[in-house]
Amino acid sequence: MAETIKKEEKPVADKITVGHVHMSGCTGCLVSLADNYGGLLTILDKYADLVYGLTLADVRHIPKMDVALVEGSVCIQDKISVQEIKETREKAAVVVAVGGCACYGNITRFTRGGQQNQPQHESYLPVGDLIKVDVYIPGCAPCPQLIRNVCVMAYLLLKGNKDQQELAKKYLTPLMLLADRGTEACGCDLMYDVVNQGLCMGCGSCAAACPVRAITHEYGKPNVNREMCIKCGACYAQCPRSFFNFDVIPEFEGIMDAIDAALK
Amino acid sequence: MSKIVEISPTTRHEGHSKLVLKVDDAGIIERGDWLSITPVRGVEKLALGKTMDQVPKIASRVCGICPIAHTLAGIESMEGSIRCEIPKDAKLLRIILQSANRLHSHALHNILTLPDMYLPGTDTKINPFSPQEPVRSVAKRIQRIREIGQTIGEIAGGEAVHPSNPRVGGMYKACTAHAKTKMYDLAKEGLVLAHEQMDFMIAILRNYQKRDWAEVGGKQIPIPKTLGYHNQGYMAAHPMYGSSNLDDCPGWNPDRWTDVRPWDWYMGEGEVSLADPGYPIGGTSPVGTKVNPQMEACTGVPLYDGSPVEVGPRARLVQFKNYDEKGTIGQQIARQMEYPDCLYTILNALDDYNPNGKILADHIPQGDGSLGWAANEAPRGCDVHLAKVKDGRVLYYEMLVPTTWNFPTCSRALTGAPWQLAEVIVRGYDPCVSCATHMIVIDEDKRLVAQKLIQ
Amino acid sequence: MPLMRHSNEVREMAGELGKYKLCVSARSADKAILKRAQDGGIVTQLFKFALEEGIIEGAIVAGPGDEPWRPRPFIATTVEELMSASGTKYNISPQVSWIKEATRSYGLDKIGIVGTPCQMQAVRKGQLYPVGLRDVPDKIKLAIGIFCMENFSYQSVKQLVEDHAAMKMEAVKKMEIGKGKFWVYGQRGQVVQLPLKVTHKYEQPGCHVCLDYVANLADVSTGSVGSPDGWSTVFVRTRNGDDIWSKAIAAGCFETKPIEQVKPGLELVTKLATEKITKNQKTVEERAKFGVNKSLRNPYLGPK
Ligand SMILES: Cc1cc2nc3c(=O)[nH]c(=O)nc-3n(C[C@H](O)[C@H](O)[C@H](O)COP(=O)(O)OP(=O)(O)OC[C@H]3O[C@@H](n4cnc5c(N)ncnc54)[C@H](O)[C@@H]3O)c2cc1C
Ligand code: SF4
Ligand code: SF4
Ligand code: SF4
Ligand SMILES: [Fe+2]
């Protein structure tokens, strides 16, 4: 599998086009993308043209693009937001929900309006409640390395040879299934879908993943402080008993080497 | 006769905002309204009834560029309300986190500024993502400075974007001696790079100042010598960190703050009467577009001593270091001048920091509903949070974030500039618009809100 | 003592034993380690070597917790701390919970971690899909897996020891599963053996869908099965693991014997691995028709 990526050592002239669509998010997701540091420059040199992203570029209206990285949930009382998210679906071949807000609502799940100067801005929905989303990257803030991996895999999927496409598809499948699973997430998922299902084995991944330290382990099993949880979805997605794909993860050494090489 | 131009959305800053500009026949701005059009997530309202531990974590998510400011101002306003003093080593970790965030944020802002600037001696604007030299080395240096800031922040604060380590009463985890050494090494490396970057940016900014024109959408637009000048005052609570109601000599005073609604401040209904499809990229709004800043603005208008004030790097330098250069370039240069101090502050705090010291208060009161406030000097200016906590729950919460303070000030600074350079002025404030949506508590005769709260 | 590397090629053992470059029987050359270790002291010795050589700056191990035989994961940055954690505690120690903190307030760039096969799966998933593990993936420098048929809750072990073996937890010197029995050794020299059919009900339910016995995804994995008492069976799996293992061998850290020359050898390891995986595969399939037209979740098919 390592060879699969390495064959493509020379940068392919044909880059994919990527845009960053900012809904009601905090731009922390974009900062995470930028936190690939030197790697971001390599991605832009070799694999992806940034064709849209109000924070980074002057393009004011959503263009056609291969991959839209959508950050933030959608305020359904804000006409522009609703219009832009629909436009994003029309213009992008692949829509990736980046971060807890886009995937699950995150802190905007607590929003209830009544605030100056737009007290009617009361309802925020995860992107997947309004359009079909292809890939999920949960977490708050999402992890730069996961965003990077998805970008590289999206490139292989759209521009790679047959083997590369195969690998990319396998890698992205669980993140696509997460998108299919729905738009609700909470620390409670660990109970509902892992512990209650007789699947928890006490690894501790969930606690490590939680960005607000809401999870502790009591005799090896997770305890979620529900008054800290912000509903980012990181814990469940990180849990090896939410998904574990034997056709990808055992190849970790080759895949990690290959991604490193691709970003050199 | 004056005409109305609308630039919507504005670019190269955080969040969604737009400019509605009344211009004269020569295209010079007579009156500018810069306003947020970012949906209002209503954090102050959703905070009510939640725990004092959770609210600052939610507040952090208001903005991913100044999350440290919101986390710390949020937590310290809670601590101010419950009257909880934190141990010295916890405070030092917060200071390290704060300075590290400013380092990364200023560097990020350089990327957003450079496309307006020229390579000295040329008429070529800078594309920071270009693989060509000399730009590539600069981009790499910016990314390395950011990496250093984010990594130090991650060690002291738990996470680089939304910090997980700070909590009401102190910090969750002390940094080990090993972590201290690592931060020290990184800061030493960062100091060298920060000096280089500061010098580079100042040279670029001075070069812009010497130019007569800038190219915008294929036209040469004259650059006025007074670009971005305004006559408003400045507000800053501290050169680097901040202040709270628990301080002996607080650096901010809630009695001097009032708030007016956008209704009183912005233009009313109007219609776009001037359009330029060549304005990069995608043009300005077409003629006939309805505008109504009064209704559309998503923020309030906070005033200090009854007027809008500027907050941010220049406000800090004016207040504490006798800095006096006006205008957009003066503001941008002030930002660059803050680079080294971010690192000196980290190094000094590390010198004082004891890895075995206490990082959590022995006793964390649950609050009796008193008002607490904390004014944190975010990268882009003073970020004031006010809170009342009773029995561990938030009764009242208010965020007066930097860009909210700057909206009206910047609007005034637009006057006199060619409309094509309005965004250059806006970017001088390093705006963070998602932050700047907040609730206002005021009664009709604009009585001092804080007084009302305290009684 | 000759270098006991009998094969330099990657041996593709699709299935139960996972991929490995080398398999040997080994034990630490350090008497002090052997004295405290569960088996051949492989884990403690290899971490000690890696720590001293600067390959890792700290290791997440399962040290003593709040109650006797209750483990608590912590980050060992000294040899003394490593030593304090040696020996097997047969109940859950959420090792991975520390993996991010190690890179934060501990400031580590090079981390070691020991854990059960499922914990190795968690580590590798975390490296390839770091959803909430920013800046962690490239900092895992030595992941040591320990063989595992099943784990127990603390209460389970307590009932096994205090009810079935009639011993007080704090009076136990060592516990061990081997030769088809659960062994409890008392401080005063008493030895109680329980047949495994007694222990089954106490197993952690999550273990019944586990499809890995010998920590296929570790850099180096080890367990007692296959080797004589006081020795361990060791699989060297990744390039990174191979590199560290070779250096440790060259430094004289371990005594080794070819796995073919020890009893009961690889055959038993294969047999037990096959048994575990077959049984648990069946459990996974039965879960699909657990209720009336209702199934229990299957994590291997996706997150739904
Ligand atoms: C629950 C469990 C079941 C096991 N089942 C088998 C089996 O069926 N067959 C087999 O051959 N071997 C099994 N082992 C492994 C075996 O008991 C030894 O741990 C292994 O051989 C390592 O011994 P050592 O002398 O090399 O390590 P030592 O030098 O003694 O070090 C042991 C290391 O394991 C860590 N550790 C101890 N308890 C735990 C725990 N609960 N979770 C995670 N890490 C822990 C310690 O931190 C220590 O670093 C099992 C281990 C556990 C924890
Ligand atoms: S991550 Fe590990 S400890 Fe947490 S729920 Fe999943 S299996 Fe259990
Ligand atoms: S428990 Fe933590 S990781 Fe899980 S959804 Fe809540 S905030 Fe996110
Ligand atoms: S049997 Fe599997 S799930 Fe259970 S502890 Fe061992 S490795 Fe983990
Ligand atoms: Fe902000």
PDB file of all heavy atoms in Angstrom, chain C residues 186-209:
ATOM      1  N   GLY C 186      -0.113 -16.173  46.680  1.00  0.00           N
ATOM      2  CA  GLY C 186      -0.178 -15.322  47.873  1.00  0.00           C
ATOM      3  C   GLY C 186       1.198 -14.876  48.315  1.00  0.00           C
ATOM      4  O   GLY C 186       2.207 -15.491  47.975  1.00  0.00           O
ATOM      5  N   GLN C 187       1.220 -13.786  49.066  1.00  0.00           N
ATOM      6  CA  GLN C 187       2.483 -13.277  49.623  1.00  0.00           C
ATOM      7  C   GLN C 187       3.130 -14.324  50.510  1.00  0.00           C
ATOM      8  O   GLN C 187       4.355 -14.405  50.633  1.00  0.00           O
ATOM      9  CB  GLN C 187       2.223 -12.023  50.492  1.00  0.00           C
ATOM     10  CG  GLN C 187       1.461 -10.918  49.819  1.00  0.00           C
ATOM     11  CD  GLN C 187       2.381  -9.904  49.157  1.00  0.00           C
ATOM     12  OE1 GLN C 187       3.552 -10.198  48.927  1.00  0.00           O
ATOM     13  NE2 GLN C 187       1.837  -8.741  48.844  1.00  0.00           N
ATOM     14  N   ARG C 188       2.294 -15.140  51.183  1.00  0.00           N
ATOM     15  CA  ARG C 188       2.840 -16.107  52.124  1.00  0.00           C
ATOM     16  C   ARG C 188       3.140 -17.450  51.477  1.00  0.00           C
ATOM     17  O   ARG C 188       3.378 -18.436  52.167  1.00  0.00           O
ATOM     18  CB  ARG C 188       1.885 -16.280  53.309  1.00  0.00           C
ATOM     19  CG  ARG C 188       1.789 -15.018  54.172  1.00  0.00           C
ATOM     20  CD  ARG C 188       0.861 -15.212  55.360  1.00  0.00           C
ATOM     21  NE  ARG C 188      -0.482 -15.588  54.927  1.00  0.00           N
ATOM     22  CZ  ARG C 188      -1.043 -16.763  55.183  1.00  0.00           C
ATOM     23  NH1 ARG C 188      -0.403 -17.672  55.899  1.00  0.00           N
ATOM     24  NH2 ARG C 188      -2.252 -17.029  54.739  1.00  0.00           N
ATOM     25  N   GLY C 189       3.084 -17.483  50.152  1.00  0.00           N
ATOM     26  CA  GLY C 189       3.507 -18.708  49.480  1.00  0.00           C
ATOM     27  C   GLY C 189       2.375 -19.607  49.011  1.00  0.00           C
ATOM     28  O   GLY C 189       2.623 -20.596  48.324  1.00  0.00           O
ATOM     29  N   GLN C 190       1.135 -19.293  49.385  1.00  0.00           N
ATOM     30  CA  GLN C 190       0.070 -20.181  48.922  1.00  0.00           C
ATOM     31  C   GLN C 190      -0.193 -19.991  47.424  1.00  0.00           C
ATOM     32  O   GLN C 190       0.016 -18.916  46.883  1.00  0.00           O
ATOM     33  CB  GLN C 190      -1.217 -20.033  49.758  1.00  0.00           C
ATOM     34  CG  GLN C 190      -1.981 -18.751  49.724  1.00  0.00           C
ATOM     35  CD  GLN C 190      -1.446 -17.587  50.496  1.00  0.00           C
ATOM     36  OE1 GLN C 190      -0.271 -17.250  50.449  1.00  0.00           O
ATOM     37  NE2 GLN C 190      -2.345 -16.917  51.203  1.00  0.00           N
ATOM     38  N   VAL C 191      -0.619 -21.043  46.756  1.00  0.00           N
ATOM     39  CA  VAL C 191      -0.900 -20.999  45.327  1.00  0.00           C
ATOM     40  C   VAL C 191      -2.283 -21.591  45.095  1.00  0.00           C
ATOM     41  O   VAL C 191      -2.555 -22.699  45.523  1.00  0.00           O
ATOM     42  CB  VAL C 191       0.121 -21.843  44.527  1.00  0.00           C
ATOM     43  CG1 VAL C 191      -0.164 -21.746  43.033  1.00  0.00           C
ATOM     44  CG2 VAL C 191       1.547 -21.414  44.848  1.00  0.00           C
ATOM     45  N   VAL C 192      -3.140 -20.785  44.445  1.00  0.00           N
ATOM     46  CA  VAL C 192      -4.468 -21.318  44.135  1.00  0.00           C
ATOM     47  C   VAL C 192      -4.639 -21.306  42.623  1.00  0.00           C
ATOM     48  O   VAL C 192      -4.281 -20.336  41.964  1.00  0.00           O
ATOM     49  CB  VAL C 192      -5.579 -20.458  44.784  1.00  0.00           C
ATOM     50  CG1 VAL C 192      -6.962 -21.007  44.422  1.00  0.00           C
ATOM     51  CG2 VAL C 192      -5.405 -20.399  46.293  1.00  0.00           C
ATOM     52  N   GLN C 193      -5.152 -22.395  42.079  1.00  0.00           N
ATOM     53  CA  GLN C 193      -5.427 -22.379  40.646  1.00  0.00           C
ATOM     54  C   GLN C 193      -6.913 -22.575  40.412  1.00  0.00           C
ATOM     55  O   GLN C 193      -7.535 -23.444  41.029  1.00  0.00           O
ATOM     56  CB  GLN C 193      -4.617 -23.449  39.921  1.00  0.00           C
ATOM     57  CG  GLN C 193      -4.410 -24.720  40.713  1.00  0.00           C
ATOM     58  CD  GLN C 193      -3.827 -25.806  39.839  1.00  0.00           C
ATOM     59  OE1 GLN C 193      -4.428 -26.188  38.850  1.00  0.00           O
ATOM     60  NE2 GLN C 193      -2.665 -26.298  40.213  1.00  0.00           N
ATOM     61  N   LEU C 194      -7.461 -21.724  39.529  1.00  0.00           N
ATOM     62  CA  LEU C 194      -8.879 -21.824  39.204  1.00  0.00           C
ATOM     63  C   LEU C 194      -9.008 -22.268  37.753  1.00  0.00           C
ATOM     64  O   LEU C 194      -8.296 -21.768  36.888  1.00  0.00           O
ATOM     65  CB  LEU C 194      -9.560 -20.457  39.352  1.00  0.00           C
ATOM     66  CG  LEU C 194      -9.402 -19.771  40.712  1.00  0.00           C
ATOM     67  CD1 LEU C 194      -9.930 -18.334  40.639  1.00  0.00           C
ATOM     68  CD2 LEU C 194     -10.138 -20.551  41.802  1.00  0.00           C
ATOM     69  N   PRO C 195      -9.904 -23.193  37.487  1.00  0.00           N
ATOM     70  CA  PRO C 195     -10.107 -23.581  36.093  1.00  0.00           C
ATOM     71  C   PRO C 195     -10.708 -22.410  35.314  1.00  0.00           C
ATOM     72  O   PRO C 195     -11.478 -21.630  35.876  1.00  0.00           O
ATOM     73  CB  PRO C 195     -11.098 -24.746  36.177  1.00  0.00           C
ATOM     74  CG  PRO C 195     -11.739 -24.640  37.513  1.00  0.00           C
ATOM     75  CD  PRO C 195     -10.794 -23.911  38.421  1.00  0.00           C
ATOM     76  N   LEU C 196     -10.359 -22.300  34.041  1.00  0.00           N
ATOM     77  CA  LEU C 196     -10.798 -21.128  33.278  1.00  0.00           C
ATOM     78  C   LEU C 196     -12.315 -21.074  33.105  1.00  0.00           C
ATOM     79  O   LEU C 196     -12.872 -20.007  32.860  1.00  0.00           O
ATOM     80  CB  LEU C 196     -10.098 -21.073  31.921  1.00  0.00           C
ATOM     81  CG  LEU C 196      -8.619 -20.669  32.007  1.00  0.00           C
ATOM     82  CD1 LEU C 196      -8.031 -20.501  30.608  1.00  0.00           C
ATOM     83  CD2 LEU C 196      -8.395 -19.400  32.821  1.00  0.00           C
ATOM     84  N   LYS C 197     -12.978 -22.237  33.249  1.00  0.00           N
ATOM     85  CA  LYS C 197     -14.431 -22.166  33.093  1.00  0.00           C
ATOM     86  C   LYS C 197     -15.071 -21.310  34.195  1.00  0.00           C
ATOM     87  O   LYS C 197     -16.115 -20.717  34.001  1.00  0.00           O
ATOM     88  CB  LYS C 197     -15.052 -23.567  32.991  1.00  0.00           C
ATOM     89  CG  LYS C 197     -15.096 -24.388  34.269  1.00  0.00           C
ATOM     90  CD  LYS C 197     -15.959 -25.655  33.995  1.00  0.00           C
ATOM     91  CE  LYS C 197     -16.323 -26.420  35.248  1.00  0.00           C
ATOM     92  NZ  LYS C 197     -15.198 -27.072  35.945  1.00  0.00           N
ATOM     93  N   VAL C 198     -14.380 -21.197  35.328  1.00  0.00           N
ATOM     94  CA  VAL C 198     -14.847 -20.316  36.403  1.00  0.00           C
ATOM     95  C   VAL C 198     -14.700 -18.845  36.016  1.00  0.00           C
ATOM     96  O   VAL C 198     -15.528 -18.005  36.367  1.00  0.00           O
ATOM     97  CB  VAL C 198     -14.027 -20.586  37.696  1.00  0.00           C
ATOM     98  CG1 VAL C 198     -14.333 -19.536  38.761  1.00  0.00           C
ATOM     99  CG2 VAL C 198     -14.288 -21.978  38.212  1.00  0.00           C
ATOM    100  N   THR C 199     -13.658 -18.553  35.277  1.00  0.00           N
ATOM    101  CA  THR C 199     -13.380 -17.138  34.982  1.00  0.00           C
ATOM    102  C   THR C 199     -14.244 -16.566  33.858  1.00  0.00           C
ATOM    103  O   THR C 199     -14.413 -15.361  33.774  1.00  0.00           O
ATOM    104  CB  THR C 199     -11.899 -16.926  34.567  1.00  0.00           C
ATOM    105  OG1 THR C 199     -11.653 -17.653  33.354  1.00  0.00           O
ATOM    106  CG2 THR C 199     -10.951 -17.409  35.643  1.00  0.00           C
ATOM    107  N   HIS C 200     -14.802 -17.449  33.027  1.00  0.00           N
ATOM    108  CA  HIS C 200     -15.481 -16.944  31.823  1.00  0.00           C
ATOM    109  C   HIS C 200     -16.560 -15.905  32.102  1.00  0.00           C
ATOM    110  O   HIS C 200     -16.648 -14.889  31.446  1.00  0.00           O
ATOM    111  CB  HIS C 200     -16.072 -18.101  31.004  1.00  0.00           C
ATOM    112  CG  HIS C 200     -15.011 -18.923  30.329  1.00  0.00           C
ATOM    113  ND1 HIS C 200     -13.870 -18.354  29.815  1.00  0.00           N
ATOM    114  CD2 HIS C 200     -14.906 -20.260  30.106  1.00  0.00           C
ATOM    115  CE1 HIS C 200     -13.104 -19.299  29.291  1.00  0.00           C
ATOM    116  NE2 HIS C 200     -13.705 -20.470  29.465  1.00  0.00           N
ATOM    117  N   LYS C 201     -17.384 -16.179  33.101  1.00  0.00           N
ATOM    118  CA  LYS C 201     -18.486 -15.245  33.348  1.00  0.00           C
ATOM    119  C   LYS C 201     -17.969 -13.862  33.723  1.00  0.00           C
ATOM    120  O   LYS C 201     -18.650 -12.862  33.524  1.00  0.00           O
ATOM    121  CB  LYS C 201     -19.406 -15.802  34.436  1.00  0.00           C
ATOM    122  CG  LYS C 201     -19.315 -15.081  35.788  1.00  0.00           C
ATOM    123  CD  LYS C 201     -20.483 -15.357  36.707  1.00  0.00           C
ATOM    124  CE  LYS C 201     -20.513 -14.315  37.817  1.00  0.00           C
ATOM    125  NZ  LYS C 201     -21.455 -14.595  38.871  1.00  0.00           N
ATOM    126  N   TYR C 202     -16.745 -13.813  34.246  1.00  0.00           N
ATOM    127  CA  TYR C 202     -16.207 -12.543  34.734  1.00  0.00           C
ATOM    128  C   TYR C 202     -15.535 -11.711  33.646  1.00  0.00           C
ATOM    129  O   TYR C 202     -15.093 -10.600  33.878  1.00  0.00           O
ATOM    130  CB  TYR C 202     -15.212 -12.802  35.870  1.00  0.00           C
ATOM    131  CG  TYR C 202     -15.875 -13.380  37.105  1.00  0.00           C
ATOM    132  CD1 TYR C 202     -15.709 -14.715  37.460  1.00  0.00           C
ATOM    133  CD2 TYR C 202     -16.684 -12.570  37.903  1.00  0.00           C
ATOM    134  CE1 TYR C 202     -16.320 -15.236  38.583  1.00  0.00           C
ATOM    135  CE2 TYR C 202     -17.303 -13.086  39.037  1.00  0.00           C
ATOM    136  CZ  TYR C 202     -17.124 -14.420  39.374  1.00  0.00           C
ATOM    137  OH  TYR C 202     -17.722 -14.921  40.478  1.00  0.00           O
ATOM    138  N   GLU C 203     -15.425 -12.270  32.450  1.00  0.00           N
ATOM    139  CA  GLU C 203     -14.703 -11.563  31.392  1.00  0.00           C
ATOM    140  C   GLU C 203     -15.411 -10.272  30.998  1.00  0.00           C
ATOM    141  O   GLU C 203     -16.638 -10.181  31.021  1.00  0.00           O
ATOM    142  CB  GLU C 203     -14.574 -12.456  30.154  1.00  0.00           C
ATOM    143  CG  GLU C 203     -13.622 -13.611  30.378  1.00  0.00           C
ATOM    144  CD  GLU C 203     -13.828 -14.747  29.379  1.00  0.00           C
ATOM    145  OE1 GLU C 203     -14.554 -14.550  28.383  1.00  0.00           O
ATOM    146  OE2 GLU C 203     -13.265 -15.831  29.616  1.00  0.00           O
ATOM    147  N   GLN C 204     -14.596  -9.311  30.584  1.00  0.00           N
ATOM    148  CA  GLN C 204     -15.160  -8.048  30.108  1.00  0.00           C
ATOM    149  C   GLN C 204     -15.956  -8.332  28.827  1.00  0.00           C
ATOM    150  O   GLN C 204     -15.410  -8.887  27.868  1.00  0.00           O
ATOM    151  CB  GLN C 204     -14.008  -7.082  29.827  1.00  0.00           C
ATOM    152  CG  GLN C 204     -14.434  -5.860  29.053  1.00  0.00           C
ATOM    153  CD  GLN C 204     -13.334  -4.822  28.912  1.00  0.00           C
ATOM    154  OE1 GLN C 204     -13.442  -3.730  29.439  1.00  0.00           O
ATOM    155  NE2 GLN C 204     -12.258  -5.163  28.223  1.00  0.00           N
ATOM    156  N   PRO C 205     -17.225  -7.923  28.786  1.00  0.00           N
ATOM    157  CA  PRO C 205     -18.043  -8.239  27.603  1.00  0.00           C
ATOM    158  C   PRO C 205     -17.433  -7.747  26.290  1.00  0.00           C
ATOM    159  O   PRO C 205     -17.489  -8.451  25.281  1.00  0.00           O
ATOM    160  CB  PRO C 205     -19.360  -7.506  27.890  1.00  0.00           C
ATOM    161  CG  PRO C 205     -19.419  -7.388  29.380  1.00  0.00           C
ATOM    162  CD  PRO C 205     -18.001  -7.249  29.849  1.00  0.00           C
ATOM    163  N   GLY C 206     -16.840  -6.551  26.325  1.00  0.00           N
ATOM    164  CA  GLY C 206     -16.252  -5.997  25.096  1.00  0.00           C
ATOM    165  C   GLY C 206     -15.174  -6.881  24.503  1.00  0.00           C
ATOM    166  O   GLY C 206     -14.838  -6.763  23.321  1.00  0.00           O
ATOM    167  N   CYS C 207     -14.601  -7.759  25.304  1.00  0.00           N
ATOM    168  CA  CYS C 207     -13.544  -8.647  24.812  1.00  0.00           C
ATOM    169  C   CYS C 207     -14.091  -9.714  23.878  1.00  0.00           C
ATOM    170  O   CYS C 207     -13.334 -10.334  23.135  1.00  0.00           O
ATOM    171  CB  CYS C 207     -12.831  -9.319  25.975  1.00  0.00           C
ATOM    172  SG  CYS C 207     -11.990  -8.134  27.029  1.00  0.00           S
ATOM    173  N   HIS C 208     -15.391  -9.952  23.928  1.00  0.00           N
ATOM    174  CA  HIS C 208     -15.935 -11.063  23.160  1.00  0.00           C
ATOM    175  C   HIS C 208     -16.095 -10.763  21.675  1.00  0.00           C
ATOM    176  O   HIS C 208     -16.477 -11.631  20.907  1.00  0.00           O
ATOM    177  CB  HIS C 208     -17.265 -11.514  23.776  1.00  0.00           C
ATOM    178  CG  HIS C 208     -17.066 -12.077  25.154  1.00  0.00           C
ATOM    179  ND1 HIS C 208     -18.016 -12.019  26.140  1.00  0.00           N
ATOM    180  CD2 HIS C 208     -15.985 -12.677  25.724  1.00  0.00           C
ATOM    181  CE1 HIS C 208     -17.534 -12.568  27.255  1.00  0.00           C
ATOM    182  NE2 HIS C 208     -16.309 -12.972  27.019  1.00  0.00           N
ATOM    183  N   VAL C 209     -15.802  -9.519  21.284  1.00  0.00           N
ATOM    184  CA  VAL C 209     -15.796  -9.234  19.845  1.00  0.00           C
ATOM    185  C   VAL C 209     -14.377  -8.925  19.360  1.00  0.00           C
ATOM    186  O   VAL C 209     -14.177  -8.475  18.235  1.00  0.00           O
ATOM    187  CB  VAL C 209     -16.717  -8.036  19.481  1.00  0.00           C
ATOM    188  CG1 VAL C 209     -18.168  -8.339  19.853  1.00  0.00           C
ATOM    189  CG2 VAL C 209     -16.256  -6.756  20.160  1.00  0.00           C
TER     190      VAL C 209
END
